[in-house]
Amino acid sequence: MMSEVLSDRPTTSRTSALSARPSGPEPVLRVQNLEVTYYTDAGRAKALDDVSFTLSAGEKLGMVGESGSGKSTLALAMMRMIKPPGRIEAGRVIVGDTDLTGLDDDAMRKARLSKIAYIPQGAMNSLNPVMRIGAQMVDAVKSHMNGESRSSIGDRCAHALKSVDLDASVFRMYAHELSGGMKQRVCIAIGILLNPQVIIADEPTSALDVVTQRQVMETIDRVQKEINAAVILIGHDMGLMAQFVDKVAVMYAGRLVEVSTVREMFTDPKHPYARALISSLPNLDNKGVFQGIPGLAPSLLRLPTGCAFHPRCTHAMDICGTTRPEVRMLASGRVVTCHLFNEEA
Ligand code: SF4
């Protein structure tokens, strides 16, 4: 079981490479060839470039990469929340049997929370300071489920609070009465109110202390199991993520460059950028030695030709500066976007 990058484009070379992927449970989420471009005064920035992957119910995928690599854009595109000057140029996002990209605005608004929930970065700071937590939860339910009885809504909210390990008294409290971790758990409770099939949590533990980070991650883990949702965790902290996700997807300059199981990613990363990310993690053996990735992430307005990572890559070959690598599935089922693996794919 697990997310596997795939392409539904029948004419591309990588489609045949990926068609041999191992069969697994029917995916609950299919992201196909998603592309997002921002049209700015400074030029055209391709923030998401042909991103495809699938996720089954109950799976957890960690999405990592430097700032600006496209992680949050991917989340927003999946929620159809890209604002001008950004635009979804191509691709589909299918949850269950519903193609979100084909819904009208009203249907999409209803699909948010009921089919796919997004817990944005800094969500806990977006709680309304002058409304009780309960009122905000009730509003969220009412805006998606006309006609649900008052008592049923109350039960739903109470159950969600219980699921995230919050006392029922939180229902009558205001955000300022809660700690950071409690606020984040309220946001998770709102996210699961309608039992979505897919939950996207964007940096859910940023700005929290390490103990609270773990509690929040455990909360996500627990609610995910309870409703059997597919979860995408976006973040920078690979160490924390490694303990909670099944697979890790690495993004660079708007592309998915590697998708592997957590174990594979940490013991044998394939893509040179993924290797650099893993070797830059601190450990006791290299105490005092800070190993970074040379160079800077490229501007999306001026991406290098060929492989966008080639100016920073210690394995770059001639082809890398001229030819864009395709997404390849290796015989092992791992997905890598790098010329080094053209033969192995
Ligand atoms: Fe490095 Fe070339 Fe692979 Fe890009 S395609 S990561 S430059 S080896």
Side-chain angles (χ1 to χ4, degrees), residues 271-272 307 309-310 313 315-317 320 325 337-340:
H271 192 281
C307 171
F309 188 56
H310 88 259
C313 181
H315 295 74
M317 306 168 283
C320 303
T337 310
C338 171
H339 290 304
L340 288 175

Side-chain angles (χ1 to χ4, degrees), residues 280-292:
S280 66
L281 294 176
N283 65 52
L284 287 176
D285 292 337
N286 60 13
K287 192 176 170 210
V289 181
F290 294 100
Q291 208 169 336

Side-chain angles (χ1 to χ4, degrees), residues 296-316:
L296 296 171
S299 161
L300 295 176
L301 291 166
R302 286 173 295 280
L303 282 179
T305 55
C307 171
F309 188 56
H310 88 259
R312 306 172 73 186
C313 181
T314 51
H315 295 74

Side-chain angles (χ1 to χ4, degrees), residues 34-39 44-51 68-74 77 82 86-87 89 251-256 299-301 303:
L34 203 54
E35 298 192 6
V36 172
T37 301
Y38 286 91
Y39 292 86
R44 196 165 155 267
K46 199 163 200 177
L48 268 197
D49 187 355
D50 200 13
V51 170
S69 60
K71 308 182 300 292
S72 296
T73 300
L74 173 61
I82 297 285
R87 193 192 297 163
E89 305 274 40
M251 290 199 74
Y252 188 80
R255 299 192 79 190
L256 272 185
S299 161
L300 295 176
L301 291 166
L303 282 179

